[in-house]
Amino acid sequence: MLKVPEHQVAGHRAINGNLGPVIDNLGHFYKPLLDDERGSKELAFYKSFSSDTRVPDHIRRFFPVFYGTQDLEASDGSGFRPHLVLQDLAANHRSPSIMDVKIGSRTWYPEASEDYIQKCLEKDRKTTTVSLGFRISGLQIYESKESGFWKPEKKQVQSFTADNVRLVLRKFVSSNSSIGSNENPDCSLAPIVYGGSAGILEQLLELKAWFENQTIYHFHSCSVLILFDKESVLKGRTSVAEVKLIDFAHVVEGRDVIDHNFLGGLCSLIKFVSEILSSSKESSIKACFMESEKKCYCTNNSNYW
Amino acid sequence: MLKVPEHQVAGHRAINGNLGPVIDNLGHFYKPLLDDERGSKELAFYKSFSSDTRVPDHIRRFFPVFYGTQDLEASDGSGFRPHLVLQDLAANHRSPSIMDVKIGSRTWYPEASEDYIQKCLEKDRKTTTVSLGFRISGLQIYESKESGFWKPEKKQVQSFTADNVRLVLRKFVSSNSSIGSNENPDCSLAPIVYGGSAGILEQLLELKAWFENQTIYHFHSCSVLILFDKESVLKGRTSVAEVKLIDFAHVVEGRDVIDHNFLGGLCSLIKFVSEILSSSKESSIKACFMESEKKCYCTNNSNYW
Protein backbone atom coordinates (compact mmCIF):
# COMPACT_ATOMS: atom_id res chain seq x y z
CA MET A 1 0.00 0.00 0.00
CA LEU A 2 1.62 3.24 -1.18
CA LYS A 3 1.00 6.53 0.62
CA VAL A 4 2.11 10.12 0.75
CA PRO A 5 5.14 10.56 3.09
CA GLU A 6 3.96 12.11 6.34
CA HIS A 7 7.32 13.64 7.19
CA GLN A 8 8.31 15.34 3.93
CA VAL A 9 9.50 18.88 4.71
CA ALA A 10 10.59 20.17 1.27
CA GLY A 11 9.91 19.57 -2.42
CA HIS A 12 6.62 18.85 -4.21
CA ARG A 13 4.16 16.70 -2.28
CA ALA A 14 2.03 13.99 -3.87
CA ILE A 15 -1.22 15.71 -2.91
CA ASN A 16 -3.94 17.66 -4.76
CA GLY A 17 -3.09 15.98 -8.04
CA ASN A 18 0.60 16.95 -7.90
CA LEU A 19 3.50 14.76 -8.84
CA GLY A 20 5.48 13.76 -5.75
CA PRO A 21 7.14 10.88 -3.94
CA VAL A 22 5.27 8.06 -2.20
CA ILE A 23 6.36 5.50 0.39
CA ASP A 24 5.42 1.94 1.34
CA ASN A 25 5.40 0.16 4.71
CA LEU A 26 8.66 -1.65 3.99
CA GLY A 27 10.90 1.40 4.24
CA HIS A 28 10.98 2.36 0.54
CA PHE A 29 10.72 5.89 -0.80
CA TYR A 30 9.57 6.13 -4.43
CA LYS A 31 10.71 9.34 -6.11
CA PRO A 32 9.16 9.98 -9.54
CA LEU A 33 11.69 10.57 -12.32
CA LEU A 34 10.98 13.93 -13.93
CA ASP A 35 10.79 14.14 -17.71
CA ASP A 36 13.48 16.78 -18.05
CA GLU A 37 17.16 16.04 -17.51
CA ARG A 38 16.81 16.29 -13.73
CA GLY A 39 15.32 12.80 -13.62
CA SER A 40 17.96 11.19 -15.79
CA LYS A 41 20.74 13.04 -13.95
CA GLU A 42 19.60 11.89 -10.52
CA LEU A 43 19.28 8.31 -11.74
CA ALA A 44 22.72 8.51 -13.34
CA PHE A 45 24.13 9.78 -10.05
CA TYR A 46 22.61 6.95 -7.98
CA LYS A 47 23.85 4.35 -10.46
CA SER A 48 27.35 5.79 -10.56
CA PHE A 49 27.52 6.36 -6.81
CA SER A 50 26.30 2.88 -5.81
CA SER A 51 29.03 1.18 -7.79
CA ASP A 52 31.85 3.66 -7.14
CA THR A 53 34.46 1.85 -5.08
CA ARG A 54 36.25 5.14 -4.34
CA VAL A 55 33.47 6.08 -1.90
CA PRO A 56 34.37 4.72 1.56
CA ASP A 57 31.68 2.92 3.59
CA HIS A 58 31.68 5.46 6.41
CA ILE A 59 30.66 8.07 3.79
CA ARG A 60 28.21 5.82 1.96
CA ARG A 61 26.09 5.61 5.11
CA PHE A 62 25.24 9.32 4.69
CA PHE A 63 23.39 8.56 1.45
CA PRO A 64 19.98 6.88 1.06
CA VAL A 65 20.24 3.26 -0.08
CA PHE A 66 19.39 2.95 -3.79
CA TYR A 67 17.31 -0.10 -4.78
CA GLY A 68 16.93 0.65 -8.50
CA THR A 69 13.94 1.97 -10.42
CA GLN A 70 10.34 0.83 -10.65
CA ASP A 71 7.38 1.76 -12.87
CA LEU A 72 4.56 3.04 -10.68
CA GLU A 73 1.32 4.92 -11.17
CA ALA A 74 2.29 8.57 -10.78
CA SER A 75 0.62 10.55 -7.99
CA ASP A 76 -0.67 13.19 -10.44
CA GLY A 77 -2.81 10.63 -12.25
CA SER A 78 -0.74 10.86 -15.44
CA GLY A 79 -0.29 7.08 -15.59
CA PHE A 80 2.76 4.90 -15.10
CA ARG A 81 6.12 6.52 -14.70
CA PRO A 82 9.56 5.27 -13.59
CA HIS A 83 10.42 6.03 -9.95
CA LEU A 84 13.72 5.85 -8.09
CA VAL A 85 13.38 3.30 -5.30
CA LEU A 86 15.26 4.70 -2.32
CA GLN A 87 15.52 4.11 1.40
CA ASP A 88 12.76 5.93 3.29
CA LEU A 89 14.92 7.93 5.71
CA ALA A 90 12.03 8.66 8.08
CA ALA A 91 10.85 5.03 8.23
CA ASN A 92 12.43 4.22 11.59
CA HIS A 93 11.28 7.43 13.23
CA ARG A 94 7.92 7.86 14.92
CA SER A 95 7.83 11.63 15.32
CA PRO A 96 11.00 12.90 13.71
CA SER A 97 12.18 16.48 13.93
CA ILE A 98 13.60 17.11 10.45
CA MET A 99 15.52 19.94 8.84
CA ASP A 100 16.37 20.14 5.13
CA VAL A 101 19.42 22.38 4.62
CA LYS A 102 20.42 23.14 1.03
CA ILE A 103 24.21 23.46 1.07
CA GLY A 104 26.41 25.86 -0.92
CA SER A 105 26.55 29.60 -1.53
CA ARG A 106 25.66 28.83 -5.17
CA THR A 107 22.99 26.39 -6.38
CA TRP A 108 23.83 26.93 -10.08
CA TYR A 109 26.80 25.59 -12.02
CA PRO A 110 28.57 26.60 -15.23
CA GLU A 111 27.20 23.64 -17.24
CA ALA A 112 23.55 24.64 -16.60
CA SER A 113 21.35 26.66 -18.97
CA GLU A 114 21.44 30.45 -18.73
CA ASP A 115 17.77 30.49 -17.67
CA TYR A 116 18.42 28.06 -14.85
CA ILE A 117 21.51 30.00 -13.73
CA GLN A 118 19.60 33.30 -13.55
CA LYS A 119 16.67 31.69 -11.71
CA CYS A 120 19.01 30.08 -9.15
CA LEU A 121 21.09 33.23 -8.74
CA GLU A 122 18.01 35.28 -7.95
CA LYS A 123 16.85 32.81 -5.33
CA ASP A 124 20.37 32.42 -3.89
CA ARG A 125 20.54 36.20 -3.36
CA LYS A 126 17.02 36.43 -1.90
CA THR A 127 17.59 33.63 0.61
CA THR A 128 20.55 33.03 2.96
CA THR A 129 22.35 30.92 0.34
CA VAL A 130 24.82 33.65 -0.67
CA SER A 131 25.30 35.16 2.79
CA LEU A 132 25.48 31.99 4.91
CA GLY A 133 26.56 29.40 2.35
CA PHE A 134 23.35 27.43 2.98
CA ARG A 135 19.60 27.88 3.31
CA ILE A 136 16.95 25.98 5.22
CA SER A 137 14.52 24.56 2.63
CA GLY A 138 12.03 23.08 5.04
CA LEU A 139 11.64 21.78 8.55
CA GLN A 140 9.38 20.27 11.16
CA ILE A 141 10.05 20.24 14.87
CA TYR A 142 8.19 17.89 17.16
CA GLU A 143 6.62 19.72 20.09
CA SER A 144 4.57 17.19 22.02
CA LYS A 145 1.91 14.48 21.68
CA GLU A 146 -0.77 17.13 22.14
CA SER A 147 0.39 19.81 19.73
CA GLY A 148 2.31 17.63 17.25
CA PHE A 149 4.80 19.40 14.96
CA TRP A 150 5.78 23.00 14.39
CA LYS A 151 6.09 23.15 10.60
CA PRO A 152 6.42 26.70 9.26
CA GLU A 153 5.05 27.38 5.79
CA LYS A 154 7.25 27.33 2.70
CA LYS A 155 6.91 31.10 2.27
CA GLN A 156 8.05 31.72 5.84
CA VAL A 157 11.01 29.35 5.49
CA GLN A 158 12.08 30.97 2.21
CA SER A 159 12.23 34.38 3.85
CA PHE A 160 14.45 33.27 6.77
CA THR A 161 17.20 35.76 7.61
CA ALA A 162 20.53 34.84 9.23
CA ASP A 163 19.00 35.53 12.65
CA ASN A 164 15.97 33.35 11.86
CA VAL A 165 18.30 30.51 10.82
CA ARG A 166 20.26 30.83 14.06
CA LEU A 167 17.05 30.76 16.09
CA VAL A 168 15.62 27.79 14.17
CA LEU A 169 18.83 25.80 14.70
CA ARG A 170 18.39 26.49 18.43
CA LYS A 171 14.67 25.63 18.43
CA PHE A 172 15.50 22.36 16.68
CA VAL A 173 17.27 21.07 19.80
CA SER A 174 15.01 22.59 22.45
CA SER A 175 12.51 20.89 24.70
CA ASN A 176 10.10 23.82 25.09
CA SER A 177 6.56 22.72 24.40
CA SER A 178 5.50 25.67 22.28
CA ILE A 179 8.53 25.87 19.99
CA GLY A 180 7.15 27.91 17.08
CA SER A 181 6.55 31.14 18.94
CA ASN A 182 9.35 30.74 21.48
CA GLU A 183 12.01 33.42 21.03
CA ASN A 184 14.27 32.01 23.72
CA PRO A 185 14.39 28.23 23.28
CA ASP A 186 16.29 26.28 25.96
CA CYS A 187 18.63 24.23 23.66
CA SER A 188 18.53 21.53 26.31
CA LEU A 189 18.87 18.72 23.73
CA ALA A 190 21.91 20.28 22.02
CA PRO A 191 24.51 18.20 23.92
CA ILE A 192 22.76 14.96 22.91
CA VAL A 193 21.60 15.82 19.36
CA TYR A 194 24.35 18.17 18.11
CA GLY A 195 27.08 16.98 20.49
CA GLY A 196 28.62 13.66 21.48
CA SER A 197 30.69 11.20 19.50
CA ALA A 198 27.72 10.13 17.37
CA GLY A 199 25.96 13.49 17.22
CA ILE A 200 25.21 15.79 14.31
CA LEU A 201 28.42 17.82 14.64
CA GLU A 202 30.66 14.74 14.49
CA GLN A 203 28.78 13.47 11.44
CA LEU A 204 29.09 16.83 9.68
CA LEU A 205 32.83 16.88 10.47
CA GLU A 206 33.20 13.41 8.99
CA LEU A 207 31.49 14.62 5.80
CA LYS A 208 33.71 17.72 5.80
CA ALA A 209 36.87 15.60 5.90
CA TRP A 210 35.65 13.70 2.84
CA PHE A 211 34.74 16.89 0.98
CA GLU A 212 38.23 18.29 1.58
CA ASN A 213 39.56 15.51 -0.58
CA GLN A 214 36.93 14.05 -2.87
CA THR A 215 37.03 15.29 -6.45
CA ILE A 216 34.56 12.76 -7.87
CA TYR A 217 31.31 14.77 -7.62
CA HIS A 218 30.14 18.35 -7.29
CA PHE A 219 26.85 18.40 -5.40
CA HIS A 220 24.85 21.44 -6.54
CA SER A 221 21.49 22.16 -4.94
CA CYS A 222 21.92 19.14 -2.71
CA SER A 223 20.60 19.05 0.86
CA VAL A 224 21.84 17.86 4.20
CA LEU A 225 18.89 16.32 6.04
CA ILE A 226 19.15 16.36 9.81
CA LEU A 227 16.71 14.22 11.73
CA PHE A 228 16.10 12.81 15.19
CA ASP A 229 13.29 11.63 17.45
CA LYS A 230 12.70 14.01 20.33
CA GLU A 231 10.82 11.33 22.28
CA SER A 232 13.73 8.90 22.01
CA VAL A 233 16.10 11.60 23.23
CA LEU A 234 13.84 12.44 26.16
CA LYS A 235 13.73 8.73 27.02
CA GLY A 236 17.52 8.84 27.28
CA ARG A 237 18.38 6.93 24.10
CA THR A 238 21.64 8.00 22.49
CA SER A 239 22.88 7.88 18.84
CA VAL A 240 19.51 8.92 17.60
CA ALA A 241 20.46 11.88 15.42
CA GLU A 242 21.22 11.34 11.75
CA VAL A 243 22.74 13.32 8.90
CA LYS A 244 21.81 12.31 5.36
CA LEU A 245 22.48 13.78 1.94
CA ILE A 246 19.57 14.01 -0.51
CA ASP A 247 18.61 15.47 -3.92
CA PHE A 248 21.14 14.72 -6.62
CA ALA A 249 19.47 16.07 -9.76
CA HIS A 250 22.26 18.63 -10.20
CA VAL A 251 25.35 16.61 -9.41
CA VAL A 252 28.15 16.94 -11.98
CA GLU A 253 31.58 15.36 -12.33
CA GLY A 254 34.27 16.85 -10.12
CA ARG A 255 37.06 16.74 -12.74
CA ASP A 256 39.90 16.66 -10.21
CA VAL A 257 38.60 19.72 -8.33
CA ILE A 258 37.08 19.53 -4.84
CA ASP A 259 33.49 20.69 -4.36
CA HIS A 260 34.61 23.98 -2.78
CA ASN A 261 31.07 25.37 -2.97
CA PHE A 262 29.56 22.53 -0.92
CA LEU A 263 32.56 22.41 1.43
CA GLY A 264 32.41 26.14 2.22
CA GLY A 265 28.69 25.98 2.99
CA LEU A 266 29.12 22.84 5.07
CA CYS A 267 31.84 24.55 7.14
CA SER A 268 29.49 27.49 7.70
CA LEU A 269 26.72 25.16 8.94
CA ILE A 270 29.27 23.40 11.16
CA LYS A 271 30.19 26.75 12.72
CA PHE A 272 26.51 27.55 13.45
CA VAL A 273 25.96 24.14 15.06
CA SER A 274 29.17 24.23 17.09
CA GLU A 275 28.37 27.71 18.43
CA ILE A 276 24.99 26.52 19.71
CA LEU A 277 26.72 23.55 21.26
CA SER A 278 29.38 25.61 23.03
CA SER A 279 26.90 28.21 24.27
CA SER A 280 24.64 25.44 25.58
CA LYS A 281 27.65 23.91 27.35
CA GLU A 282 28.47 27.29 28.85
CA SER A 283 24.92 27.75 30.06
CA SER A 284 24.82 24.27 31.56
CA ILE A 285 28.11 24.99 33.36
CA LYS A 286 26.53 28.22 34.59
CA ALA A 287 23.43 26.28 35.67
CA CYS A 288 25.62 23.72 37.50
CA PHE A 289 27.50 26.54 39.12
CA MET A 290 24.28 28.21 40.25
CA GLU A 291 22.99 24.83 41.40
CA SER A 292 26.12 24.21 43.47
CA GLU A 293 25.93 27.73 44.89
CA LYS A 294 22.35 27.02 45.88
CA LYS A 295 23.42 23.75 47.49
CA CYS A 296 26.20 25.59 49.23
CA TYR A 297 23.68 28.09 50.53
CA CYS A 298 21.37 25.28 51.66
CA THR A 299 24.24 23.54 53.47
CA ASN A 300 25.29 26.73 55.19
CA ASN A 301 21.76 27.34 56.27
CA SER A 302 21.00 23.74 57.15
CA ASN A 303 20.23 24.68 60.71
CA TYR A 304 17.23 26.61 59.56
CA TRP A 305 15.58 23.66 57.81
CA MET B 1 64.11 57.71 -3.68
CA LEU B 2 60.75 56.22 -4.76
CA LYS B 3 60.49 53.82 -7.67
CA VAL B 4 58.08 51.53 -9.48
CA PRO B 5 58.05 48.02 -7.90
CA GLU B 6 60.02 45.67 -10.11
CA HIS B 7 58.19 42.57 -8.93
CA GLN B 8 54.56 43.61 -9.16
CA VAL B 9 52.58 40.85 -10.92
CA ALA B 10 48.97 42.14 -10.78
CA GLY B 11 47.06 45.41 -10.51
CA HIS B 12 47.77 48.80 -12.11
CA ARG B 13 51.44 49.70 -12.45
CA ALA B 14 52.81 53.19 -11.88
CA ILE B 15 54.07 53.51 -15.46
CA ASN B 16 53.00 55.44 -18.58
CA GLY B 17 51.25 58.07 -16.49
CA ASN B 18 49.08 55.56 -14.63
CA LEU B 19 48.26 55.61 -10.95
CA GLY B 20 50.00 52.77 -9.16
CA PRO B 21 52.06 51.83 -6.11
CA VAL B 22 55.68 52.84 -5.55
CA ILE B 23 58.38 51.54 -3.20
CA ASP B 24 61.42 52.95 -1.38
CA ASN B 25 64.74 51.32 -0.44
CA LEU B 26 63.70 50.87 3.18
CA GLY B 27 61.12 48.14 2.55
CA HIS B 28 58.00 50.30 2.23
CA PHE B 29 55.27 49.84 -0.33
CA TYR B 30 53.16 52.96 -0.98
CA LYS B 31 49.70 52.13 -2.33
CA PRO B 32 47.72 55.15 -3.57
CA LEU B 33 44.28 55.49 -1.99
CA LEU B 34 41.65 55.55 -4.73
CA ASP B 35 39.02 58.27 -4.67
CA ASP B 36 36.08 55.89 -4.65
CA GLU B 37 35.11 53.83 -1.61
CA ARG B 38 37.76 51.20 -2.37
CA GLY B 39 40.43 53.48 -0.92
CA SER B 40 38.56 54.31 2.26
CA LYS B 41 37.50 50.67 2.70
CA GLU B 42 41.05 49.33 2.42
CA LEU B 43 42.32 51.97 4.86
CA ALA B 44 39.47 51.14 7.26
CA PHE B 45 40.40 47.46 7.04
CA TYR B 46 44.09 48.04 7.81
CA LYS B 47 43.21 50.31 10.75
CA SER B 48 40.70 47.85 12.18
CA PHE B 49 42.91 44.81 11.56
CA SER B 50 46.08 46.31 13.09
CA SER B 51 44.34 46.98 16.38
CA ASP B 52 42.12 43.90 16.52
CA THR B 53 43.28 41.80 19.45
CA ARG B 54 41.17 38.85 18.28
CA VAL B 55 43.66 38.19 15.46
CA PRO B 56 46.37 35.84 16.74
CA ASP B 57 50.03 36.64 16.00
CA HIS B 58 50.60 33.50 13.93
CA ILE B 59 47.85 34.77 11.60
CA ARG B 60 48.96 38.40 11.65
CA ARG B 61 52.25 37.40 10.04
CA PHE B 62 50.36 36.53 6.84
CA PHE B 63 49.39 40.19 6.39
CA PRO B 64 51.65 43.05 5.23
CA VAL B 65 52.71 45.32 8.11
CA PHE B 66 50.70 48.58 8.06
CA TYR B 67 52.67 51.74 8.87
CA GLY B 68 49.84 54.29 8.41
CA THR B 69 49.21 56.71 5.55
CA GLN B 70 51.38 59.33 3.88
CA ASP B 71 50.72 62.10 1.36
CA LEU B 72 52.88 61.53 -1.71
CA GLU B 73 53.04 62.80 -5.26
CA ALA B 74 50.86 60.37 -7.24
CA SER B 75 52.50 58.41 -10.06
CA ASP B 76 49.97 59.69 -12.61
CA GLY B 77 51.12 63.28 -12.14
CA SER B 78 47.80 64.35 -10.56
CA GLY B 79 49.54 65.89 -7.56
CA PHE B 80 49.66 64.86 -3.91
CA ARG B 81 47.46 62.00 -2.74
CA PRO B 82 47.28 59.89 0.43
CA HIS B 83 48.99 56.49 0.16
CA LEU B 84 48.82 53.46 2.42
CA VAL B 85 52.30 52.77 3.76
CA LEU B 86 52.72 49.01 3.82
CA GLN B 87 55.50 46.46 4.09
CA ASP B 88 57.12 45.79 0.69
CA LEU B 89 56.69 42.02 0.56
CA ALA B 90 59.29 41.56 -2.18
CA ALA B 91 61.94 43.69 -0.41
CA ASN B 92 63.97 40.78 0.95
CA HIS B 93 63.91 38.84 -2.27
CA ARG B 94 66.41 39.25 -5.07
CA SER B 95 64.68 37.37 -7.88
CA PRO B 96 61.37 36.23 -6.43
CA SER B 97 59.01 33.86 -8.17
CA ILE B 98 55.60 35.29 -7.32
CA MET B 99 52.02 34.17 -7.84
CA ASP B 100 48.94 36.25 -7.07
CA VAL B 101 45.92 33.99 -6.50
CA LYS B 102 42.53 35.66 -6.02
CA ILE B 103 40.62 33.43 -3.62
CA GLY B 104 36.90 32.60 -3.63
CA SER B 105 34.36 31.31 -6.14
CA ARG B 106 32.69 34.73 -5.90
CA THR B 107 34.43 38.13 -5.90
CA TRP B 108 31.17 40.08 -5.38
CA TYR B 109 29.14 40.44 -2.18
CA PRO B 110 25.52 41.34 -1.39
CA GLU B 111 26.40 44.81 -0.05
CA ALA B 112 28.02 45.90 -3.36
CA SER B 113 26.31 47.89 -6.11
CA GLU B 114 24.36 46.00 -8.78
CA ASP B 115 26.80 47.24 -11.46
CA TYR B 116 29.78 45.94 -9.52
CA ILE B 117 28.04 42.60 -8.85
CA GLN B 118 27.28 42.05 -12.55
CA LYS B 119 30.83 43.03 -13.59
CA CYS B 120 32.36 40.65 -11.06
CA LEU B 121 29.96 37.83 -11.88
CA GLU B 122 30.84 38.03 -15.56
CA LYS B 123 34.56 37.88 -14.84
CA ASP B 124 34.10 35.11 -12.25
CA ARG B 125 32.35 33.00 -14.86
CA LYS B 126 34.89 33.75 -17.61
CA THR B 127 37.89 32.87 -15.44
CA THR B 128 38.44 29.86 -13.17
CA THR B 129 36.92 31.68 -10.17
CA VAL B 130 33.57 29.85 -10.32
CA SER B 131 34.92 26.46 -11.37
CA LEU B 132 38.04 26.24 -9.17
CA GLY B 133 37.16 28.62 -6.35
CA PHE B 134 40.18 30.80 -7.22
CA ARG B 135 41.92 32.39 -10.18
CA ILE B 136 45.53 33.29 -10.83
CA SER B 137 45.66 37.09 -11.29
CA GLY B 138 49.32 37.40 -12.19
CA LEU B 139 52.66 35.66 -11.84
CA GLN B 140 56.35 35.68 -12.57
CA ILE B 141 58.62 32.66 -12.41
CA TYR B 142 62.38 33.08 -12.23
CA GLU B 143 64.14 31.03 -14.87
CA SER B 144 67.84 31.89 -14.68
CA LYS B 145 70.32 34.76 -14.58
CA GLU B 146 70.45 34.72 -18.35
CA SER B 147 66.78 34.62 -19.24
CA GLY B 148 65.33 36.32 -16.14
CA PHE B 149 61.62 35.82 -15.48
CA TRP B 150 58.79 34.12 -17.30
CA LYS B 151 55.95 36.58 -16.87
CA PRO B 152 52.90 35.80 -19.03
CA GLU B 153 50.80 38.74 -20.16
CA LYS B 154 47.64 39.76 -18.32
CA LYS B 155 45.45 38.61 -21.20
CA GLN B 156 47.03 35.16 -21.17
CA VAL B 157 46.69 34.84 -17.40
CA GLN B 158 43.03 35.89 -17.51
CA SER B 159 42.23 33.14 -19.97
CA PHE B 160 43.82 30.33 -17.91
CA THR B 161 41.76 27.14 -17.85
CA ALA B 162 41.82 24.57 -15.02
CA ASP B 163 44.53 22.66 -16.87
CA ASN B 164 46.60 25.83 -17.35
CA VAL B 165 46.34 26.55 -13.62
CA ARG B 166 47.48 23.04 -12.77
CA LEU B 167 50.43 23.36 -15.14
CA VAL B 168 51.40 26.82 -13.85
CA LEU B 169 51.34 25.58 -10.25
CA ARG B 170 53.75 22.84 -11.36
CA LYS B 171 55.97 25.24 -13.34
CA PHE B 172 56.15 27.48 -10.29
CA VAL B 173 58.18 24.86 -8.41
CA SER B 174 60.25 23.53 -11.29
CA SER B 175 63.93 24.01 -12.01
CA ASN B 176 63.75 23.75 -15.81
CA SER B 177 65.55 26.64 -17.43
CA SER B 178 62.96 27.43 -20.09
CA ILE B 179 59.83 27.33 -17.94
CA GLY B 180 57.37 29.28 -20.07
CA SER B 181 57.16 26.86 -22.95
CA ASN B 182 57.80 23.68 -20.95
CA GLU B 183 54.78 21.36 -20.97
CA ASN B 184 56.36 18.84 -18.63
CA PRO B 185 58.05 20.77 -15.81
CA ASP B 186 60.09 18.69 -13.33
CA CYS B 187 58.48 19.96 -10.06
CA SER B 188 61.85 19.32 -8.42
CA LEU B 189 61.43 22.22 -5.97
CA ALA B 190 57.97 21.10 -4.81
CA PRO B 191 59.19 19.24 -1.69
CA ILE B 192 61.07 22.36 -0.50
CA VAL B 193 58.70 25.14 -1.61
CA TYR B 194 55.27 23.52 -1.27
CA GLY B 195 56.28 20.85 1.28
CA GLY B 196 58.05 20.79 4.62
CA SER B 197 57.04 22.16 8.00
CA ALA B 198 57.53 25.77 6.88
CA GLY B 199 56.43 25.34 3.27
CA ILE B 200 53.50 26.81 1.36
CA LEU B 201 51.11 23.93 2.12
CA GLU B 202 51.64 24.19 5.89
CA GLN B 203 51.09 27.94 5.76
CA LEU B 204 47.90 27.55 3.73
CA LEU B 205 46.67 24.94 6.22
CA GLU B 206 47.35 27.34 9.08
CA LEU B 207 45.28 30.00 7.33
CA LYS B 208 42.55 27.42 6.66
CA ALA B 209 42.28 26.57 10.36
CA TRP B 210 41.77 30.26 11.12
CA PHE B 211 39.17 30.67 8.39
CA GLU B 212 37.19 27.72 9.76
CA ASN B 213 36.57 29.77 12.88
CA GLN B 214 37.00 33.49 12.29
CA THR B 215 33.80 35.45 11.78
CA ILE B 216 35.36 38.92 11.98
CA TYR B 217 35.97 39.62 8.28
CA HIS B 218 34.81 38.44 4.88
CA PHE B 219 37.64 38.86 2.38
CA HIS B 220 36.14 39.42 -1.07
CA SER B 221 38.44 39.77 -4.06
CA CYS B 222 41.42 39.28 -1.79
CA SER B 223 44.57 37.49 -2.97
CA VAL B 224 46.97 34.96 -1.57
CA LEU B 225 50.46 35.93 -2.68
CA ILE B 226 52.94 33.06 -2.86
CA LEU B 227 56.60 33.96 -3.20
CA PHE B 228 60.05 32.43 -2.92
CA ASP B 229 63.58 32.86 -4.24
CA LYS B 230 64.57 30.08 -6.59
CA GLU B 231 68.25 30.87 -6.19
CA SER B 232 68.02 30.56 -2.40
CA VAL B 233 66.28 27.21 -2.76
CA LEU B 234 68.91 25.97 -5.19
CA LYS B 235 71.58 27.04 -2.70
CA GLY B 236 69.93 24.75 -0.15
CA ARG B 237 68.35 27.42 2.07
CA THR B 238 65.11 26.33 3.72
CA SER B 239 62.06 28.30 4.97
CA VAL B 240 62.21 30.56 1.97
CA ALA B 241 58.66 30.32 0.75
CA GLU B 242 56.05 32.76 1.98
CA VAL B 243 52.27 33.10 1.88
CA LYS B 244 50.80 36.59 2.27
CA LEU B 245 47.31 38.02 1.99
CA ILE B 246 46.85 41.26 0.03
CA ASP B 247 44.14 43.56 -1.40
CA PHE B 248 41.49 44.46 1.14
CA ALA B 249 39.36 47.01 -0.71
CA HIS B 250 36.34 44.68 -0.54
CA VAL B 251 36.54 43.31 2.98
CA VAL B 252 33.26 43.49 4.90
CA GLU B 253 32.25 42.57 8.45
CA GLY B 254 31.70 38.87 9.07
CA ARG B 255 28.64 39.27 11.31
CA ASP B 256 29.09 35.95 13.13
CA VAL B 257 29.35 33.97 9.88
CA ILE B 258 32.58 32.39 8.65
CA ASP B 259 33.99 33.49 5.27
CA HIS B 260 32.76 30.31 3.57
CA ASN B 261 33.53 31.75 0.14
CA PHE B 262 37.22 32.35 0.94
CA LEU B 263 37.49 29.10 2.89
CA GLY B 264 36.09 26.97 0.05
CA GLY B 265 38.46 28.52 -2.48
CA LEU B 266 41.41 28.18 -0.12
CA CYS B 267 40.63 24.47 0.36
CA SER B 268 40.53 24.05 -3.41
CA LEU B 269 43.96 25.69 -3.79
CA ILE B 270 45.26 23.50 -0.96
CA LYS B 271 44.10 20.41 -2.84
CA PHE B 272 45.90 21.53 -6.03
CA VAL B 273 49.13 22.18 -4.13
CA SER B 274 48.97 18.95 -2.14
CA GLU B 275 48.39 16.90 -5.29
CA ILE B 276 51.51 18.34 -6.92
CA LEU B 277 53.39 17.59 -3.72
CA SER B 278 52.26 13.98 -3.51
CA SER B 279 52.87 13.30 -7.20
CA SER B 280 56.35 14.82 -6.91
CA LYS B 281 57.00 12.58 -3.89
CA GLU B 282 55.83 9.58 -5.86
CA SER B 283 58.08 10.44 -8.77
CA SER B 284 61.08 10.92 -6.48
CA ILE B 285 60.37 7.53 -4.87
CA LYS B 286 60.21 6.10 -8.39
CA ALA B 287 63.48 7.84 -9.26
CA CYS B 288 65.10 6.46 -6.07
CA PHE B 289 63.82 3.01 -6.94
CA MET B 290 65.20 3.23 -10.46
CA GLU B 291 68.46 4.57 -9.04
CA SER B 292 68.70 1.65 -6.61
CA GLU B 293 67.88 -0.81 -9.37
CA LYS B 294 70.69 0.71 -11.42
CA LYS B 295 73.04 0.38 -8.45
CA CYS B 296 71.91 -3.18 -8.00
CA TYR B 297 72.68 -3.86 -11.63
CA CYS B 298 76.09 -2.23 -11.22
CA THR B 299 76.81 -4.32 -8.13
CA ASN B 300 75.75 -7.54 -9.80
CA ASN B 301 77.92 -6.76 -12.73
CA SER B 302 80.84 -5.49 -10.69
CA ASN B 303 83.15 -8.16 -12.10
CA TYR B 304 82.85 -6.62 -15.49
CA TRP B 305 84.09 -3.20 -14.44
Side-chain angles (χ1 to χ4, degrees), chain A residues 105-106 108 110 114 117 121 125 130-133 166 208 212-213 215 256-258 260 263-264 267-268 271, chain B residues 105-106 110 114 117 121 125 130-133 166 208 212-213 215 256-258 260 263-264 267-268 271:
Chain A
S105 73
R106 167 168 59 78
W108 56 275
E114 195 56 36
I117 291 177
L121 194 52
R125 291 178 64 180
V130 168
S131 56
L132 304 189
R166 205 168 272 119
K208 173 183 169 244
E212 283 172 347
N213 266 305
T215 59
D256 295 328
V257 178
I258 63 162
H260 47 86
L263 177 59
C267 289
S268 179
K271 178 69 176 175
Chain B
S105 73
R106 167 168 58 79
E114 195 56 36
I117 291 177
L121 193 52
R125 290 178 64 181
V130 168
S131 56
L132 305 189
R166 204 168 273 118
K208 173 183 169 245
E212 282 173 346
N213 265 306
T215 59
D256 295 329
V257 179
I258 63 162
H260 48 86
L263 177 59
C267 288
S268 178
K271 178 70 176 174

Side-chain angles (χ1 to χ4, degrees), chain A residues 208 211-213 257-261 263-264 267, chain B residues 103-104 132-134 201 204-205 208-209 211-212 260-274:
Chain A
K208 173 183 169 244
F211 272 93
E212 283 172 347
N213 266 305
V257 178
I258 63 162
D259 189 351
H260 47 86
N261 176 56
L263 177 59
C267 289
Chain B
I103 304 290
L132 305 189
F134 64 87
L201 184 60
L204 294 176
L205 288 170
K208 173 183 169 245
F211 271 93
E212 282 173 346
H260 48 86
N261 176 56
F262 190 98
L263 177 59
L266 185 64
C267 288
S268 178
L269 177 63
I270 284 171
K271 178 70 176 174
F272 272 77
V273 169
S274 60

